[in-house]
Amino acid sequence: MIRFENVTKRYDGAREALSNVSIEVAAGELAFLTGRSGAGKSTVLKLVALIERPTRGQVIVDGRPLGKLGYHEIPAHRQQIGMVFQDNRLLNDRSAYENVALPLIISGIGEREIGRRTRAALDQVGLLDREKYPPRALSAGEQQRLAIARAIVSRPKVLIADEPTGNLDPDLSLEIMTLFRRLNEVGVTMLIASHDLQLVQKFGSRRIVLSGGQVSSSDTVDRAAGVGT
Amino acid sequence: MSTGIWLARHAQNMLGALGALSRNPVGTFLTVAVIGIALALPAALNVLVQTGKSAAGNWSDVRDFSVYMTPATPLVRAESLAGELRKRSGIDSVQLVTADAAVAELGKDPVFANALAALEGNPLPHTLVVRPAPEMDSEQLGKLSTELQKTPDVDLVKLDLQWAQRLNAGLDFLARLGWIAAVLLGAAVLVIVGNTIRLDIQTRTEEIEVAKLLGATDTFVRRPFLYLGLWYGLFGSLVAVLILAISLWVLGAPVARLAGLYGSSLELAGVGLGTLGAVLGGGLLAGWSGAWLAVSRHLSGLRPKD
Ligand SMILES: Nc1ncnc2c1ncn2[C@@H]1O[C@H](COP(=O)(O)OP(=O)(O)O)[C@@H](O)[C@H]1O
Ligand SMILES: [Mg+2]
């Protein structure tokens, strides 16, 4: 579902953030992208979402080589993948409901359908009773769940998340990860970047470890184990 | 996207932009006022030109030549010249005003009567009043005038048309000035709207960036700002028309009185449909383009780098 073929990414002037990286995440898989800060995790996700383009190599998502997509095809591509951003990027001058509805408005879906799907997504992350609040009125864990609701509201086949548990305590982190697992079980392919090796290990899904812009190890089999120990 | 949803989106954006303007009434008022003044200026020049044209039109049928014979030219010579001219094409009529008739006419005024009585002979020449045919254009009239001037025994040819030509030339100049003003001030409106919307964009950068990350097209991001630009253009145009209408109303009476002093019934041209359309169209176009440029500039900074 997500495939990197010998991808190298060099930001202007800087050294290579990714060097000759080849990764494959199969459809329906839940994979963690781990490694130290600066290893290149966010860069991988940005290449998937076409926020950045590779310097060399090919990124293929859902059978589409992204190199072939022009500027005007980027929106349609982004509408088809769900994204949870590093700093969650929720809009504080809008309600929780409006934040989650935004991707549907962007996709040009009818008002009634927006209402139905938005509430369903809010329900999935347990925030239906918070729909009128702005994100800043929610707790850190709730905000992260809201960001996830926004990422899944369009029912994407692929979901990418950048440090979704970054500023959460271990209990809340586990709660978020459990939520991801539940979504994965209904068939969403997931690539989750996290520098929290302990949490990832505890979770026991497939890991792709980046180090200095290169893949240092990658579990080949999905070892999908149960949650926690 | 279905047409219904598309229409609903546009309506939402249109009303949303109006709401945004109403939330900042002072800022909106100032921007709209500046746009209105900028649009009113070329429109006012246009009204002035229209007024002048109708005035010139009223007098353009007064195109008579006065041909003064050299003093002491015998009457028969004047009569024969009048006869020659009457036969020419391009001339409607020739009226001979003899020196005696002119003196008699002048003598009706007591002031002149005394002065004339003090003179020995008749100081006035015979005069031919030549009325050219209406189809004669100004070039042909000019030629006729030079030719008459060269005729023996003719002292002076006075073309009454000259002042009207000068007025027309002045009006042409003014009309061109109006066009230049319209282009420059239209550009100014574009810059004003562009800058206002640039500031508006700056307060919404996060929203725009998130929308782009979630797959919004440039069109989607642009739309609310384009409506904002259109509203600015519309309200600015209305203010311009209001300024114009009030100015004309204030100036109408004095202009009529002034014209009355010259025995004319000059009236200021009103804010015609043409002017109205031009102000409205210009305002909307400049508002829309200003917004388009401002958003496009911002969006080009959000493109993914290769
Ligand atoms: N926009 C950028 N411009 C220049 N260098 C960047 C940019 N983004 C990331 N980098 C560099 O690329 C490398 C990988 O960064 P990143 O992908 O963010 O790593 P991670 O997410 O694993 O912390 C780092 O050395 C970082 O400094
Ligand atoms: Mg990162």
Side-chain angles (χ1 to χ4, degrees):
Chain A
M1 186 60 99
I2 301 173
R3 214 172 126 91
F4 276 54
E5 291 175 354
N6 308 102
V7 172
T8 295
K9 173 66 187 179
R10 184 201 297 273
Y11 292 100
D12 320 309
R15 60 178 185 82
E16 284 178 1
L18 293 179
S19 310
N20 209 29
V21 166
S22 296
I23 300 171
E24 169 125 38
V25 180
E29 204 175 7
L30 187 159
F32 285 105
L33 198 56
T34 66
R36 291 215 182 114
S37 172
K41 305 181 295 292
S42 297
T43 302
V44 166
L45 298 186
K46 283 177 185 166
L47 290 169
V48 171
L50 266 175
I51 294 166
E52 297 286 347
R53 286 187 185 269
T55 310
R56 275 194 305 280
Q58 181 80 274
V59 178
I60 300 162
V61 177
D62 199 10
R64 252 172 306 149
L66 302 191
K68 292 218 167 67
L69 298 186
Y71 176 70
H72 294 286
E73 291 161 301
I74 295 174
H77 170 67
R78 287 192 189 152
Q79 285 173 22
Q80 280 164 31
I81 54 178
M83 273 192 277
V84 179
F85 307 102
Q86 179 141 25
D87 33 13
N88 78 42
R89 314 289 305 253
L90 295 165
L91 299 173
N92 269 309
D93 57 353
R94 302 188 184 203
S95 67
Y97 176 93
E98 288 167 329
N99 269 278
V100 175
L102 187 55
L104 300 175
I105 294 171
I106 286 170
S107 305
I109 285 164
E111 210 69 55
R112 194 171 309 162
E113 184 70 5
I114 288 177
R116 213 179 53 72
R117 286 211 217 166
T118 301
R119 294 215 164 77
L122 282 167
D123 195 27
Q124 261 183 299
V125 300
L127 287 176
L128 201 47
D129 57 338
R130 291 281 191 276
E131 64 167 83
K132 290 202 173 64
Y133 293 86
R136 79 177 110 71
L138 306 178
S139 71
E142 286 173 328
Q143 288 185 16
Q144 205 53 260
R145 271 148 53 198
L146 188 62
I148 293 168
R150 183 179 64 186
I152 59 168
V153 74
S154 295
R155 300 191 194 129
K157 282 196 271 185
V158 177
L159 187 143
I160 55 179
D162 200 353
E163 309 283 0
T165 61
N167 49 357
L168 302 181
D169 61 44
D171 283 352
L172 281 176
S173 297
L174 203 61
E175 183 192 309
I176 294 294
M177 288 302 183
T178 311
L179 180 57
F180 279 130
R181 158 124 306 158
R182 249 189 17 237
L183 293 168
N184 174 241
E185 276 162 3
V186 298
V188 184
T189 307
M190 292 195 188
L191 184 58
I192 301 168
S194 174
H195 68 278
D196 190 345
L197 279 169
Q198 251 183 316
L199 177 72
V200 170
Q201 243 152 11
K202 206 192 285 185
F203 218 71
S205 280
R206 179 181 166 209
R207 283 170 306 166
I208 299 164
V209 186
L210 284 177
S211 174
Q214 287 175 305
V215 180
S216 66
S217 78
S218 171
D219 301 334
T220 40
V221 230
D222 189 349
R223 303 182 313 175
V227 180
T229 35
Chain B
M1 205 185 317
S2 78
T3 320
I5 295 171
W6 186 85
L7 280 175
R9 278 296 124 70
H10 273 269
Q12 275 168 6
N13 278 305
M14 200 166 89
L15 295 175
L18 197 60
L21 289 179
S22 70
R23 277 190 293 280
N24 178 17
V26 177
T28 302
F29 172 78
L30 290 177
T31 306
V32 164
V34 172
I35 294 171
I37 291 166
L39 290 172
L41 223 70
L45 271 173
N46 181 264
V47 169
L48 204 64
V49 170
Q50 296 308 325
T51 304
K53 282 220 173 108
S54 74
N58 283 341
W59 283 309
S60 69
D61 49 336
V62 185
R63 317 195 299 168
D64 297 355
F65 289 94
S66 295
V67 180
Y68 301 99
M69 311 298 292
T70 320
T73 305
L75 182 58
V76 279
R77 170 67 187 126
E79 276 170 342
S80 77
L81 181 59
E84 276 171 46
L85 289 176
R86 280 193 189 101
K87 282 183 218 130
R88 284 183 58 140
S89 65
I91 289 179
D92 257 9
S93 69
V94 178
Q95 190 200 342
L96 173 62
V97 180
T98 63
D100 292 343
V103 165
E105 182 69 23
L106 213 53
K108 282 182 193 161
D109 189 312
V111 180
F112 285 112
N114 291 333
L116 288 170
L119 291 170
E120 275 178 28
N122 184 346
L124 297 176
H126 303 301
T127 306
L128 304 180
V129 178
V130 179
R131 172 156 299 180
E135 63 268 17
M136 296 278 278
D137 63 22
S138 58
E139 197 184 330
Q140 289 169 314
L141 288 178
K143 250 193 221 153
L144 180 61
S145 153
T146 341
E147 200 191 317
L148 286 172
Q149 185 71 66
K150 285 190 196 131
T151 315
D153 299 321
V154 168
D155 187 22
L156 181 71
V157 177
K158 209 169 126 253
L159 185 52
D160 290 331
L161 179 75
Q162 264 167 353
W163 75 268
Q165 273 178 326
R166 288 201 191 108
L167 176 65
N168 264 321
L171 287 174
D172 279 347
F173 172 73
L174 220 59
R176 260 169 222 206
L177 208 65
W179 276 110
I180 294 172
V183 170
L184 288 182
L185 291 166
V189 170
L190 193 143
V191 170
I192 293 165
V193 173
N195 197 48
T196 307
I197 285 176
R198 190 181 59 84
L199 296 177
D200 204 52
I201 288 170
Q202 273 171 6
T203 67
R204 292 168 67 178
T205 46
E206 176 66 5
E207 185 185 332
I208 292 171
E209 208 172 313
V210 169
K212 285 297 290 178
L213 286 172
L214 294 175
T217 58
D218 287 0
T219 311
F220 179 93
V221 173
R222 234 181 239 127
R223 202 181 296 138
F225 295 105
L226 291 182
Y227 274 112
L228 216 50
L230 285 176
W231 282 124
Y232 276 129
L234 179 69
F235 290 137
S237 306
L238 294 181
V239 167
V241 171
L242 202 69
I243 290 175
L244 214 55
I246 292 175
S247 308
L248 292 179
W249 179 68
V250 169
L251 291 176
V255 166
R257 225 178 304 130
L258 190 70
L261 290 180
Y262 290 92
S264 156
S265 59
L266 178 61
E267 255 180 60
L268 279 175
V271 187
L273 270 182
T275 309
L276 200 71
V279 168
L280 207 63
L284 289 175
L285 184 70
W288 188 87
S289 325
W292 202 89
L293 286 176
V295 188
S296 295
R297 232 184 112 217
H298 183 74
L299 283 171
S300 69
L302 295 179
R303 279 169 175 257
K305 292 125 209 127
D306 294 295

